[in-house]
Amino acid sequence: MSKPKLQFTDSQFIDGLRTNSNEVLTALYKKYYNIVLKLIVSNNGTQEEAQDIYQETIIIVFENVKKPEFELNCQLQTYIYSIAKRLWLKQLKRNGKTFLFKEGEEEEVADVTNDLSEHFKKEDNIFKMNQSMELLGEPCNTIITDFYVLKLSMDDIAEKFGYTNSDNAKTQKYKCLQRLKKYFFEKQVEHELN
Amino acid sequence: MKNVDLFDDYLNNHLSVEEKLNFEAQLNSDVVFCKAFNEHKLVVDALTLNAQKIELKKKLQTIHANEFGNEAKVISINSTFFQRYGKTIAVAASTAAIVMVGSLALLTAQKNNSNQITDLKRDVLALQSTKDAIINEIGKTNSKLNYAPANLEGSAFALNNEGYIITSWHMVNGADSVFIQNNTIERTLAKVVLCEPSLDLAILKIEDAELIKNWQVPFAFNDKLSEIGEKVFTLGYPRKDMVYGEGSLSSLSGFYNDTTMYQISIPVNPGNSGGPLLDEQGNVIGVVRGKITNAEGTGFAIKTNEIIKAISNFANDSNVKDVTVYSKKSTLKNLKRTEQIKRINPYVFNVLVYKRD
């Protein structure tokens, strides 16, 4: 009954992530989940916290792998483990929990400081944007997303929202964007407090 | 033309070669212009990155749900764990109990501090009951008269007097069979009649008409948006017994700005999915959907108006015509909470989902 399992090498994983292969992403996700789960659960975390940390880890791996200068200096497993460990330590520290950290099977930990500090810098902006977009509400949220993310034309947007012409839509988008910028630049980085 | 439009055209490569050169010249010479452009670019980049992250996160959630399931994992680990190690644990527990009883006897003989003895006794009793529980558990899994443990469990509640009930789609997705039960209805088969994956909703129907002939759904479905700060409560089956949770409505949108959901300050657990979110008057204002993992005491619920919208779409699109939301006035108004719960209780269910591996 069991299906033959597809095994990828580290470089196949990396190539697959670079080309946005869903198959590779799924296989990668499946392969390393248990390592991270074990790490978190044996260090005061719940299964759900493990899931969250693991997904954040995969997002960081995905981000970094896509950089042209990315080079893997250790096994992919060690890399993933190291990132997950750092993220989890950060979260524990934020929650004011300190205790002896129990290492998993993966004891060799790679140095991921650079990869992470870049990520955290970017993450602050993403977080601020996420909160600003929440404040922005509808229909602005959709108009902004349609234009800047989905790259719809002003004509499309005018039609979608029932504006009489694309200039009206443009004015509306302008107002929305001004408001978004205001939220974004005034926003304190609140998540450090959480 | 506003600067912003110019910035967008530049970033989207919509300028002619000449316009582009002029634009870049102005960036170099005009400090204010340059600063405005950099700010604009920062915002646009953050917008794109945020959208990418949301998309990737969604993808990973789907992969996780497909590969590992959400609640499924815990339950299946437990049951195989008991099957494999149950006997060993029971033996270990009884050995421990004997040791404890032994030391208790010793302490009694020495007529030591009586407080300590009562404490110890309680421990022994606790141990005994754990042991009994373990043995019962083994008995259950071995006995053919008892039901196999479900792969997934969650909550559901009645939609109308016709035996339609609502639950989370992620619960019943890919199910071989779905059963429901509560204090008033013994385990009975429920058929999945409609699904709305985008809202994570599924509608089930109780097959046995006899069971529902006296149904009088006590709560109403309120399609008006509720307000931040409103006191709300949930009922669900994170375990075999129904569990009540209360708190307030903390935001009009859910995870990642999702406007189809409310955020609530009620701790919800695996198994709460699919349960009702009610306001003080006993109106259903949402269906419990999930929570943020790293935030304590935060839950999300799909808004009732979205549910009503989805159901009216169902009614148009499918051949299941009699699915409607029971929307008469709630008969729970001005009742004490305990009384409200007593009346709602028969209409909230524990859902047991079986899947083939």
Side-chain angles (χ1 to χ4, degrees), chain A residues 22 26 29-30 33 47-48 51-52 55-56 62 123 129-130 134 147-149 151 173-174 181, chain B residues 2 4 8 12 40 43 51 53 56-57 59-61 64 67-68 74 256-257 270 291 293-294:
Chain A
N22 276 331
T26 308
Y29 191 98
K30 243 166 105 174
Y33 174 62
Q47 196 183 1
E48 274 137 28
Q51 185 182 334
D52 222 46
Q55 292 182 355
E56 191 71 26
F62 193 75
E123 196 60 18
M129 181 50 75
N130 196 24
E134 203 165 316
F147 184 79
Y148 286 103
V149 179
K151 306 273 181 209
K173 187 218 85 181
Y174 177 78
K181 281 183 178 171
Chain B
K2 291 195 178 78
V4 167
D8 286 337
N12 291 332
H40 183 81
V43 168
K53 186 172 176 180
L56 185 54
K57 180 91 187 175
K59 219 188 241 179
L60 295 181
Q61 301 276 36
H64 193 96
E67 299 298 333
F68 299 104
V74 181
Y256 286 131
N257 315 321
K291 62 169 176 175
T293 39
N294 54 3

Side-chain angles (χ1 to χ4, degrees), chain B residues 288-307:
Chain B
V288 175
R289 158 91 203 255
K291 62 169 176 175
I292 293 193
T293 39
N294 54 3
E296 299 284 327
T298 302
F300 294 108
I302 304 148
K303 296 174 184 173
T304 294
N305 64 337
E306 297 291 336
I307 299 165

Side-chain angles (χ1 to χ4, degrees), chain B residues 94-354:
Chain B
S94 54
T95 317
I98 290 162
V99 173
M100 294 290 269
V101 171
S103 45
L104 177 67
L106 210 66
L107 281 167
T108 326
Q110 288 173 350
K111 293 203 165 90
N112 259 347
N113 186 331
S114 60
N115 282 336
Q116 200 180 353
I117 293 171
T118 14
D119 281 352
L120 266 175
K121 211 187 256 168
R122 197 181 296 140
D123 284 351
V124 174
L125 286 178
L127 212 49
Q128 184 63 43
S129 65
T130 334
K131 197 190 93 181
D132 289 346
I134 292 166
I135 290 169
N136 280 342
E137 191 66 35
I138 297 166
K140 263 185 211 157
T141 43
N142 288 347
S143 149
K144 286 201 175 100
L145 284 172
N146 282 302
Y147 301 112
N151 297 105
L152 257 181
E153 292 193 31
S155 310
F157 61 100
L159 199 60
N160 55 27
N161 295 340
E162 272 61 60
Y164 286 99
I165 55 184
I166 188 161
T167 187
S168 296
W169 176 75
H170 73 255
M171 293 274 315
V172 299
N173 178 23
D176 285 324
S177 51
V178 180
F179 292 85
I180 56 150
Q181 63 185 24
N182 64 12
N183 289 346
T184 55
I185 289 192
E186 261 188 67
R187 186 188 165 93
T188 183
L189 195 65
K191 198 172 123 197
V192 181
V193 288
L194 293 166
C195 288
E196 180 54 62
S198 70
L199 286 174
D200 194 25
L201 289 178
I203 310 272
L204 314 176
K205 185 158 203 272
I206 297 176
E207 294 281 74
D208 188 344
E210 193 60 24
L211 291 175
I212 56 157
K213 65 175 185 202
N214 294 324
W215 266 26
Q216 284 299 328
V217 176
F219 40 74
F221 286 75
N222 194 347
D223 67 342
K224 278 191 221 94
L225 273 183
S226 298
E227 285 175 35
I228 294 186
E230 213 163 292
K231 292 265 172 293
V232 293
F233 66 100
T234 61
L235 290 167
Y237 285 88
R239 44 199 182 80
K240 280 275 175 264
D241 278 321
M242 191 169 77
V243 174
Y244 167 77
E246 67 175 11
S248 37
L249 204 145
S250 36
S251 172
L252 295 184
S253 64
F255 202 32
Y256 286 131
N257 315 321
D258 191 333
T259 52
T260 61
M261 288 193 257
Y262 291 123
Q263 185 179 324
I264 51 174
S265 66
I266 302 177
V268 291
N269 293 303
N272 269 114
S273 285
L277 175 69
L278 299 116
D279 66 11
E280 292 206 289
Q281 284 75 46
N283 294 308
V284 174
I285 62 165
V287 179
V288 175
R289 158 91 203 255
K291 62 169 176 175
I292 293 193
T293 39
N294 54 3
E296 299 284 327
T298 302
F300 294 108
I302 304 148
K303 296 174 184 173
T304 294
N305 64 337
E306 297 291 336
I307 299 165
I308 294 175
K309 240 190 279 171
I311 289 174
S312 56
N313 285 344
F314 281 152
N316 293 336
D317 297 349
S318 74
N319 46 11
V320 189
K321 292 289 181 208
D322 54 339
V323 184
T324 45
V325 172
Y326 179 80
S327 59
K328 282 195 199 121
K329 275 201 176 131
S330 158
T331 55
L332 301 165
K333 249 185 184 169
N334 307 325
L335 288 180
K336 273 207 307 203
R337 185 55 50 84
T338 46
E339 191 55 34
Q340 289 181 329
I341 293 170
K342 233 175 263 168
R343 299 199 186 182
I344 298 170
N345 192 346
Y347 300 95
V348 178
F349 308 96
N350 183 13
V351 181
L352 305 145
V353 178
Y354 291 84

Side-chain angles (χ1 to χ4, degrees), chain B residues 66-82:
Chain B
N66 290 343
E67 299 298 333
F68 299 104
N70 283 330
E71 294 90 333
K73 199 68 183 175
V74 181
I75 288 161
S76 65
I77 286 174
N78 282 347
S79 57
T80 47
F81 182 76
F82 274 121

